[in-house]
Amino acid sequence: MRVRKFAAIDIGSNAVRLLTHNVIEEKGKKTQFRKSALIRVPVRLGEDSFTVGEISERNIERIINTMKAFKLLMDVAGVEKYRACATSAMREANNGNEVIQRIKEEAGIQIDLIDGKQEAAIIASTDLKELINDHQSYLYIDVGGGSTEFTLFTGGNIKISKSFKLGTVRLLKGLVKEETWEKLEDWIRQNTKGLQKISIIGSGGNINKLHKMSGRKEGEPLSYIWLNAQYNFLTSLSYEDRVSELGLNPDRADVIIPAAQIFLSSAKWSGTKKIYVPKIGLSDGIIKTLYSDNMS
């Protein structure tokens, strides 16, 4: 048996994450991927990028310090290979490339700037296919702070993928036009028309938290009815009450509402009644592709 360590850094619009996996290789057996640790730091780059068009010096310092810490943690853990990917907030910032260069020089971390299509492709390389029944259709939705990636599976294969500039931080800041919602509705209705037994597979920190709050067991889906009721309950509370009474983290208590809105709207337009939450996302996909590339 051989145990190897791989890591993924996901630089999103709402938070930055370091995920490490133990990759277990054993002759004659399927390679196993087991999560070792997940560290999340709430550096909300999207608040800068989507409002003023560039990342502030304060957040540049925070992201550099975060990357320095991640580098030390990966060294201590004995990580063999890593990949760091930045999405919409860094991509849309006027000084995004300068920030990436500073991170490389000061923290020693090389960052890949990926677009929505690349993000969707990486996510699709996760264990999604193991969760998918060939006789059903699934709309996979990964809600981020700056954008949301949609992938439609039919017959066990990807039919179509698309990224929309519809993220939780963008919605909080009132930066999403009605036209974007309309385009999403048209896309979902058009591509799910005529499909039977369609379910949603949701990913992202917010839907993971909602699933945990529901008390459901792992693998048990959320119902549209429950999510709608929970959305109404959350919106009836003040931000302060969501933090103090529900125990939500301050950087989760605001974005969880627009995230629920995205899932509810998508479920309504696709005629979906169930939302599965397998707790996989971009970071998991990065590790899978990293390992696959390393083996080829």
Side-chain angles (χ1 to χ4, degrees):
M1 181 191 290
R2 184 186 181 195
V3 180
R4 306 168 71 182
K5 284 257 188 182
F6 286 79
I9 296 173
D10 172 9
I11 302 171
S13 304
N14 190 46
V16 184
R17 298 170 186 82
L18 169 65
L19 174 67
T20 55
H21 265 222
N22 289 323
V23 181
I24 303 165
E25 299 173 333
E26 197 169 355
K27 193 172 182 180
K29 293 186 178 181
K30 184 181 177 183
T31 301
Q32 296 181 56
F33 293 81
R34 293 183 184 170
K35 290 182 182 181
S36 173
L38 174 64
I39 297 165
R40 179 180 180 276
V41 183
V43 183
R44 195 170 277 184
L45 299 179
E47 284 193 344
D48 292 338
S49 184
F50 306 144
T51 55
V52 297
E54 64 177 35
I55 297 167
S56 65
E57 187 59 36
R58 176 178 176 272
N59 271 340
I60 291 172
E61 291 297 330
R62 292 179 73 208
I63 192 75
I64 289 172
N65 286 334
T66 301
M67 291 300 111
K68 286 178 179 177
F70 283 2
K71 181 73 161 54
L72 289 171
L73 287 167
M74 288 192 293
D75 289 345
V76 170
V79 169
E80 176 186 331
K81 294 274 184 182
Y82 79 89
R83 185 184 181 192
C85 293
T87 53
S88 57
M90 192 77 81
R91 191 167 63 234
E92 294 180 35
N94 294 328
N95 60 343
N97 288 322
E98 295 168 34
V99 175
I100 287 173
Q101 188 59 35
R102 280 187 61 180
I103 290 170
K104 183 178 180 181
E105 291 170 0
E106 297 182 39
I109 297 284
Q110 175 68 50
I111 295 169
D112 296 331
L113 203 56
I114 61 172
D115 60 26
K117 189 170 284 187
Q118 289 172 301
E119 191 172 349
I122 292 170
I123 291 167
S125 69
T126 60
D127 293 332
L128 273 179
K129 290 198 174 180
E130 294 177 13
L131 306 168
I132 286 170
N133 184 322
D134 290 354
H135 304 295
Q136 293 186 350
S137 296
Y138 301 85
L139 182 60
Y140 178 84
I141 305 173
D142 182 56
V143 175
S147 64
T148 297
E149 324 311 322
F150 294 83
T151 304
L152 183 65
F153 289 84
T154 56
N157 297 307
I158 295 174
K159 179 184 177 183
I160 191 169
S161 292
K162 192 170 178 65
S163 177
F164 287 84
K165 285 186 177 181
L166 188 78
T168 57
V169 177
R170 250 190 245 274
L171 283 164
L172 277 180
K173 296 295 178 182
L175 299 172
V176 177
K177 296 177 180 178
E178 189 59 37
E179 179 187 353
T180 304
W181 282 109
E182 291 170 359
K183 285 181 178 178
L184 174 60
E185 180 179 357
D186 289 344
W187 187 88
I188 290 176
R189 288 190 185 280
Q190 180 182 333
N191 287 291
T192 60
K193 187 177 180 180
L195 295 178
Q196 302 297 317
K197 294 184 178 180
I198 186 164
S199 297
I200 284 175
I201 298 175
S203 83
N206 291 296
I207 196 69
N208 289 346
K209 185 63 180 178
L210 285 162
H211 191 272
K212 187 176 181 180
M213 291 167 71
S214 76
R216 283 165 170 76
K217 296 176 183 177
E218 188 174 338
E220 189 180 352
L222 297 176
S223 68
Y224 176 87
I225 292 172
W226 180 88
L227 186 57
N228 189 54
Q230 186 69 1
Y231 171 77
N232 290 327
F233 170 63
L234 289 169
T235 53
S236 73
L237 299 176
S238 67
Y239 170 78
E240 290 76 16
D241 284 344
R242 293 195 293 272
V243 173
S244 62
E245 301 299 322
L246 299 184
L248 293 174
N249 288 334
D251 65 301
R252 177 72 68 209
D254 52 0
V255 292
I256 198 168
I257 288 176
Q261 184 185 6
I262 292 171
F263 281 107
L264 284 170
S265 297
S266 301
K268 179 183 175 183
W269 297 329
S270 60
T272 302
K273 298 290 189 292
K274 293 179 181 178
I275 302 168
Y276 290 88
V277 188
K279 295 182 174 62
I280 54 177
L282 180 64
S283 298
D284 302 89
I286 291 172
I287 286 175
K288 282 290 180 74
T289 55
L290 189 63
Y291 178 76
S292 177
D293 293 345
N294 196 57
M295 293 298 291
S296 59

